[in-house]
Amino acid sequence: MPYHLHISESGPPPHLAGGRLTVDLAALARNYRLLASRSKPAQTAAVLKADAYGLGIGPVARTLWAEGCRRFFVALPHEGARLRAALPEAEIFVLAGLFAVETAAIYREARLIPVLNSQSDLSIWEAHGWDGERPRPCAVHVDTGMNRLGLTAERARALAEENALTSALTPVLIMSHLACADMPDHPMNRGQLKSFQDLRALFPQSESSLCNSAGIFLGGDYLGDLTRPGIALYGGAPVSGRANPMEAVVTAETRVVQVRRARAGETVSYGAAPLTRDTIIAVCSTGYADGYHRSTSGAGVPLRQAVGKGAEGFIHGRRVPVLGRVTMDLTLFDVTELGPDTVAVGDHIELFGPNMPIDEVAEAAGTVAYELLTSLGRRYHREYVGGDV
Ligand SMILES: Cc1ncc(COP(=O)(O)O)c(C=O)c1O
């Protein structure tokens, strides 16, 4: 079959791809186990929105299911329908809620549980969330300080009173979301916990859920009945400024397509960053279109909108800095320190992974691991290792 007719989940084949992405499903499973043990006595769900943070919802879902995870959160209804195809038996919550009346059908067909976030969500589900005579399960999000999604405290109180009379809704879960859990000493955490405890007490028949990855490390009363980790499953550091207890799950590598020598005084890339020494340059075939953000560009680049300090890659046991501006399809690395003839065409430089912590790269780029993972795109060759999916 001609290649252009063969579009695969794993992206282009290795010899045609500009970079490769290795997803270690065994590391993912170990991360789930660690989070589940830290969450006890609460159960541990998994957040698989945005294609499981860019890793691929199918393989991630099946791996976690094999580890005993039975409850999942996605952001959008169509993500829920995709997850349903992978896991026919799972309990699937959809964080974004209902949007509009027409979406009630997909919730019914794919057996999704909406997280009701607003008066509009409540009204739609009260009218359309029925299985014959029985209201279908839902979750209710109460806002405790994010001012993003969720019912106000007043609306939640009114709902509890109304529903005690009408039983028009069956909220199996009452949830809220922490704004500052990655900063354990932030006073917002205790304030949100107190508000959440007051509100969840209005729904004694429902389970409670407050913790994302970072919240799990707050422990104690924060844990509630169900935790909802995302980033820590995928190897991101849950708590800022602390050692990361999670294992790297994703290794992103870029292919060296040229090795060049340039002299001090010559320039590199867009914006013509001047070289201050004779330099060996590894030209690599991934760029910001592959989620290696332009803000990873090397230091000393004129006119760049710098927010970070410039990122580094890893090759042959050493770190190598990004040189000049990252472009759409290509990134340059300064490999001078490795000496002549060490880096060759066809080698791969690790952009992030076990040797180049993703949070460090994200910080250098002025962003977070979440954004690096969810912008990886479809041009890498993807390989899933360490699992049977
Ligand atoms: C409501 C909600 N719960 C849980 C999570 C998972 O958070 P984290 O990836 O920080 O663990 C998210 C993700 O942003 C979320 O929006």
Side-chain angles (χ1 to χ4, degrees), residues 47 49 53 95 141 148 175 177 212-214 228-232 370:
V47 178
K49 57 192 176 140
Y53 288 42
L95 291 163
H141 187 158
R148 191 174 66 164
M175 60 164 278
H177 193 43
N212 58 356
S213 301
R228 313 184 303 269
I231 194 69
Y370 301 72

Side-chain angles (χ1 to χ4, degrees), residues 35 46-49 53 73-75 95 115 117 141 146 148-149 175-178 181-182 209-216 227-234 237-238 370:
L35 293 166
V47 178
L48 268 57
K49 57 192 176 140
Y53 288 42
F73 288 82
V74 292
L95 291 163
V115 176
N117 293 301
H141 187 158
M146 286 278 284
R148 191 174 66 164
L149 292 175
M175 60 164 278
S176 193
H177 193 43
L178 293 166
D182 60 328
S209 177
L210 180 62
C211 288
N212 58 356
S213 301
I216 292 171
T227 60
R228 313 184 303 269
I231 194 69
L233 286 169
Y234 311 120
Y370 301 72

Side-chain angles (χ1 to χ4, degrees), residues 47-50 73-80 93-97 99 107:
V47 178
L48 268 57
K49 57 192 176 140
F73 288 82
V74 292
L76 298 167
H78 74 267
E79 294 177 336
F93 295 91
V94 180
L95 291 163
F99 291 160
Y107 280 87

Side-chain angles (χ1 to χ4, degrees), residues 19 42 77 88 95 104 118 128 133 136 156 168 181 184 190 192 200 235 239 263 285 306 326 349 381 389:
L95 291 163
S118 64
H128 298 276
E133 297 290 294
R136 293 177 48 76
R190 288 224 69 82
Q192 284 194 271
R200 75 87 60 241
V239 183
R263 296 220 167 269
S285 58
V326 172
I349 295 184
H381 173 69
V389 282

Side-chain angles (χ1 to χ4, degrees), residues 269-356:
S269 195
Y270 291 120
L275 294 173
T276 53
R277 63 171 181 180
D278 293 353
T279 305
I280 306 173
I281 304 169
V283 181
C284 297
S285 58
T286 56
Y288 59 74
D290 305 290
Y292 200 60
H293 292 218
R294 191 167 176 271
S295 54
T296 55
S297 297
V301 180
L303 301 179
R304 89 183 168 92
Q305 295 143 327
V307 270
K309 63 177 169 54
E312 293 172 316
F314 185 88
I315 183 169
H316 299 319
R318 289 188 78 143
R319 288 183 172 211
V320 289
V322 173
L323 188 63
R325 271 192 206 161
V326 172
T327 70
M328 184 185 291
D329 314 301
L330 296 160
T331 301
L332 313 181
F333 286 89
D334 181 347
V335 296
T336 315
E337 299 295 325
L338 275 85
D341 308 323
T342 308
V343 176
V345 168
D347 284 354
H348 282 82
I349 295 184
E350 183 178 314
L351 301 175
F352 55 81
N355 300 296
M356 220 28 258

